[in-house]
């Protein structure tokens, strides 16, 4: 009887123990999964923040700040690798007066770092006091002072290595397998942001090179072009004023020669002026991109400016069945703006309207809407397709039509207009329907003039 009792008691104890083991295992698994999900969620949120910045220095600094929450350290260093050079980007836990950057450039340090990053995996040393790590303590004496364990994680994305993170701790065996895995996962995710930031920097550098090139070439072209136009005008004056008077125009041969000379000189002048306009556009856009664009704000009368532009464009419409009309039905307040720049915008919009309108009319209106003056240039031309409207204000964008020849130019005019208006604190937009015409409008804030 006693034997039966002890057998049952033993069996019951075993069942209880096994049940507890199963329960504890399930609880541990549940907690682990929960922590894993929380970690993944935190990583995702943090990575989104990383990807929203393009400043490489900020990314490397934030990387160390976030790593402290994942795997606490006593000191940490983040290093950027460019070609075969290493640059210290951020340093936590060391005194500011210590120059670690020059220290990391020493050949022994570089050699060890190269070996670590070539393997493409985290390198972990549990106890630096062991004799086999004498080489580390010798090379990294300043960095490893009073440290017992070190974790070095390469920053890798698609087999491209962008640097390393060195995490140090004064405790022996400070990092377990979970912390190492989490650290490597996080650093790998941040590597994407680093690559994006580096690509963005390359694009900025390329864009600056393009801007510098445009500016240099435009200036270099301007000098000889001015001479060409000047000499062509001189030849035309000389021909019309002196040479033509000495020719016998009753002779057919002379008549033909005069027609050819006039035509050729006029072609030189018109093409020279067109090229001069293109160069001016290139200079304007290069100034805008280089941040050298400045407004000369003065008190202006917008109605007077529109009238001036209409007078300037009258010679262009002589051979067209076209009218340019000014329609302003209310007195407009004077505003503070850059007179030359606003004239440039209005000329560009009116010229575009003339270019795409063969017959009908172009109406220039201006009115006060709340705290803005709205100027609108309406035409009865070919119009703009809906799919082209989103590109209309982009640089080098030219919107053509199957029924018209593609306009000659750089495609910079509207991009420059947009920048000018936005610098004044206004907006520019387009409304159009194919074969029914186009309305280009822009707003300028009414800045009250102090009397």
């Amino acid at each position: 009887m006693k034997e039966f009792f002890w057998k049952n008691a033993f069996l019951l104890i075993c069942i209880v123990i096994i049940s507890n083991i199963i329960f504890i295992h399930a609880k541990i698994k549940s907690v682990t999964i929960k922590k894993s999900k929380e970690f993944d969620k935190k990583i995702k949120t943090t990575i989104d923040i990383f990807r929203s910045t393009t400043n490489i220095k900020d990314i490397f600094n934030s990387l160390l700040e976030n790593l402290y929450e994942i795997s606490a350290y006593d000191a940490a260093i983040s290093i950027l690798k460019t070609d075969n050079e290493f640059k210290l980007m951020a340093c936590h836990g060391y005194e500011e007066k210590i120059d670690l950057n020059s220290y990391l450039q020493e050949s022994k340090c570089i050699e060890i770092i190269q070996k670590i990053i070539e393997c493409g995996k985290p390198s972990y040393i549990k106890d630096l006091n062991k004799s086999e790590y004498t080489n580390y303590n010798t090379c990294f004496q300043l960095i490893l002072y009073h440290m017992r364990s070190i974790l070095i994680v390469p920053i890798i994305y698609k087999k491209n290595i962008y640097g390393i993170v060195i995490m140090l701790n004064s405790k022996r065996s400070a990092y377990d397998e979970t912390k190492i895995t989490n650290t490597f996962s996080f650093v790998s995710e941040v590597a994407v942001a680093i690559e994006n930031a580096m690509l963005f920097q390359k694009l900025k550098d390329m864009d600056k090179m393009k801007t510098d090139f445009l500016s240099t070439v435009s200036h270099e072209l301007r000098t000889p072009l001015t001479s060409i136009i000047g000499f062509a005008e001189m030849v035309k004056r000389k021909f019309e004023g002196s040479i033509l008077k000495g020719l016998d125009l009753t002779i057919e041969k002379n008549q033909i020669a005069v027609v050819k000379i006039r035509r050729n000189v006029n072609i030189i002048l018109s093409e020279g002026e067109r090229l001069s306009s293109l160069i001016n556009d290139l200079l304007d856009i290069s100034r805008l991109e280089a941040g050298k664009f400045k407004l000369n704000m003065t008190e202006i009368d917008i109605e007077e400016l529109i009238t001036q532009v209409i007078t300037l464009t009258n010679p262009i419409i002589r051979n067209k069945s076209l009218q340019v009309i000014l329609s302003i039905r209310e007195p407009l307040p004077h505003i503070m703006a850059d007179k030359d720049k606003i004239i440039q915008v209005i000329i560009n919009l009116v010229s575009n309207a003339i270019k795409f309108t063969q017959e009908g009319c172009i109406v220039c209106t201006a009115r006060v809407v709340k705290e803005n003056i709205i100027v609108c240039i309406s035409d009865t031309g070919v119009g703009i397709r809906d799919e082209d409207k989103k590109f209309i204000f982009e640089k080098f964008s030219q919107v053509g039509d199957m029924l018209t020849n593609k306009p000659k130019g750089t495609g910079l005019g509207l991009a420059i207009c947009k920048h000018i208006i936005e610098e004044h604190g206004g907006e520019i937009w387009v409304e159009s329907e194919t074969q029914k015409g186009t309305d280009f409008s822009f707003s300028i804030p009414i800045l009250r003039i102090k009397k």
Side-chain angles (χ1 to χ4, degrees):
M1 188 71 180
K2 283 184 179 181
E3 187 179 344
F4 177 76
F5 171 79
W6 285 112
K7 278 184 179 181
N8 285 339
F10 179 76
L11 183 61
L12 184 62
I13 291 168
C14 287
I15 291 170
V16 170
I17 291 171
I18 292 169
S19 298
N20 284 333
I21 290 172
I22 293 170
F23 174 77
I24 292 168
H25 178 74
K27 192 70 176 176
I28 291 171
K29 190 175 181 180
S30 174
V31 170
T32 304
I33 292 170
K34 185 179 178 182
K35 284 186 177 180
S36 178
K37 286 181 178 179
E38 287 175 355
F39 176 78
D40 290 342
K41 187 178 179 181
K42 183 180 178 182
I43 290 292
K44 187 180 183 304
T45 305
T46 307
I47 292 303
D48 288 341
I49 296 169
F50 271 95
R51 289 176 181 173
S52 65
T53 181
T54 54
N55 187 302
I56 296 175
K57 185 83 175 175
D58 289 346
I59 292 173
F60 272 88
N61 191 57
S62 296
L63 172 59
L64 295 189
E65 290 175 356
N66 283 275
L67 280 177
Y68 185 81
E69 295 182 20
I70 296 169
S71 304
Y73 54 74
D74 290 320
I77 300 167
S78 58
I79 300 170
L80 172 68
K81 178 182 180 293
T82 54
D83 298 325
N84 290 318
E85 294 182 354
F86 299 97
K87 182 182 178 183
L88 181 68
M89 299 300 289
C91 178
H92 291 190
Y94 292 95
E95 293 182 20
E96 292 183 6
K97 63 182 180 180
I98 299 175
D99 185 10
L100 293 179
N101 194 42
S102 59
Y103 181 73
L104 290 166
Q105 302 306 315
E106 293 179 9
S107 57
K108 289 182 179 179
C109 291
I110 291 173
E111 187 180 340
I112 290 177
I113 292 171
Q114 283 278 27
K115 286 180 180 178
I116 291 167
I117 66 174
E118 280 173 6
C119 70
K121 296 178 181 179
S123 177
Y124 176 46
I125 299 173
K126 293 182 178 181
D127 189 358
L128 286 163
N129 287 350
K130 290 187 177 180
S131 57
E132 61 260 39
Y133 300 120
T134 305
N135 193 30
Y136 276 84
N137 287 310
T138 303
C139 294
F140 294 97
Q141 187 176 8
L142 185 64
I143 297 173
L144 301 181
Y145 185 67
H146 283 322
M147 298 298 173
R148 286 290 298 273
S149 55
I150 177 172
L151 174 61
I152 304 177
V153 182
I155 305 170
I156 303 174
Y157 178 65
K158 291 183 178 178
K159 296 183 179 179
N160 294 321
I161 298 176
Y162 295 102
I164 60 169
V165 174
I166 302 174
M167 296 168 57
L168 303 114
N169 205 297
S170 57
K171 297 177 183 178
R172 178 181 171 276
S173 302
Y175 306 106
D176 56 24
E177 190 176 335
T178 302
K179 286 183 178 179
I180 295 170
T181 303
N182 288 345
T183 300
F184 186 51
S185 298
F186 180 72
V187 170
S188 298
E189 290 290 335
V190 175
V192 182
I194 293 170
E195 181 178 73
N196 291 339
M198 293 181 76
L199 288 172
F200 180 77
Q201 186 59 49
K202 285 181 181 178
L203 286 174
K204 280 181 68 177
D205 293 342
M206 289 172 66
D207 195 53
K208 186 178 183 302
M209 286 174 62
K210 180 206 70 180
T211 301
D212 293 343
F213 173 77
L214 287 176
S215 182
T216 302
V217 170
S218 300
H219 278 291
E220 292 298 323
L221 287 174
R222 208 174 198 179
T223 303
L225 182 61
T226 303
S227 299
I228 291 168
I229 293 172
F231 278 111
E233 287 174 343
M234 188 175 69
V235 167
K236 184 177 182 179
R237 286 195 303 270
K238 189 74 174 175
F239 177 73
E240 297 288 349
S242 302
I243 298 172
L244 195 58
K245 290 179 181 178
L247 291 175
D248 185 356
L249 296 179
T250 60
I251 301 171
E252 186 180 354
K253 187 177 180 180
N254 287 350
Q255 291 176 4
I256 295 170
V258 168
V259 171
K260 284 184 178 179
I261 290 169
R262 277 178 173 161
R263 184 182 64 205
N264 291 341
V265 171
N266 286 333
I267 288 172
I268 293 170
L269 285 170
S270 64
E271 291 301 296
E273 292 296 340
R274 188 172 72 85
L275 187 55
S276 178
S277 177
L278 300 184
I279 289 170
N280 286 336
D281 280 351
L282 288 172
L283 279 171
D284 279 344
I285 206 72
S286 63
R287 288 193 195 103
L288 297 179
E289 293 181 344
K292 297 177 181 178
F293 183 87
K294 292 183 180 179
L295 297 176
N296 180 25
M297 304 293 275
T298 57
E299 183 180 343
I300 65 170
D301 181 342
I302 197 76
E303 183 175 351
E304 184 182 309
L305 294 193
I306 298 172
T307 304
Q308 186 178 336
V309 170
I310 291 174
T311 304
L312 289 171
T313 55
N314 276 336
I316 306 174
I317 62 173
R318 281 176 185 167
N319 299 323
K320 287 189 172 186
S321 301
L322 191 61
Q323 281 186 306
V324 180
I325 302 167
L326 175 63
S327 177
I328 297 177
R329 300 178 181 179
E330 59 180 299
L332 301 173
H334 286 198
I335 59 171
M336 292 297 292
D338 187 315
K339 181 179 178 180
D340 293 335
K341 295 293 188 291
I342 297 299
I343 286 178
Q344 184 179 349
V345 170
I346 299 170
I347 286 176
N348 196 294
L349 296 180
V350 173
S351 298
N352 275 351
I354 293 170
K355 191 185 299 182
F356 291 103
T357 309
Q358 295 304 313
E359 58 182 22
C361 63
I362 294 164
V363 181
C364 304
T365 64
R367 67 189 191 278
V368 175
V369 178
K370 295 181 180 179
E371 294 298 312
N372 296 279
I373 286 182
I374 307 293
V375 177
C376 181
I377 313 298
S378 303
D379 65 56
T380 54
V382 294
I384 302 167
R385 294 175 300 188
D386 288 339
E387 58 267 31
D388 291 330
K389 288 177 187 175
K390 59 184 175 183
F391 303 113
I392 201 78
F393 295 106
E394 291 184 5
K395 290 178 290 187
F396 304 105
S397 174
Q398 293 178 323
V399 178
D401 183 87
M402 293 175 64
L403 304 176
T404 63
N405 292 325
K406 191 171 179 69
K408 296 177 181 179
T410 57
L412 293 171
L414 290 174
I416 293 169
C417 289
K418 183 175 185 290
H419 192 94
I420 290 171
I421 295 303
E422 288 179 350
E423 284 291 308
H424 280 83
E427 293 181 58
I428 187 168
W429 64 94
V430 62
E431 295 171 343
S432 183
E433 192 174 343
T434 52
Q435 305 306 325
K436 291 188 178 181
T438 303
D439 296 346
F440 274 100
S441 304
F442 66 85
S443 65
I444 295 286
I446 302 171
L447 302 177
R448 301 299 175 186
I449 301 159
K450 294 179 181 178
K451 300 294 184 183

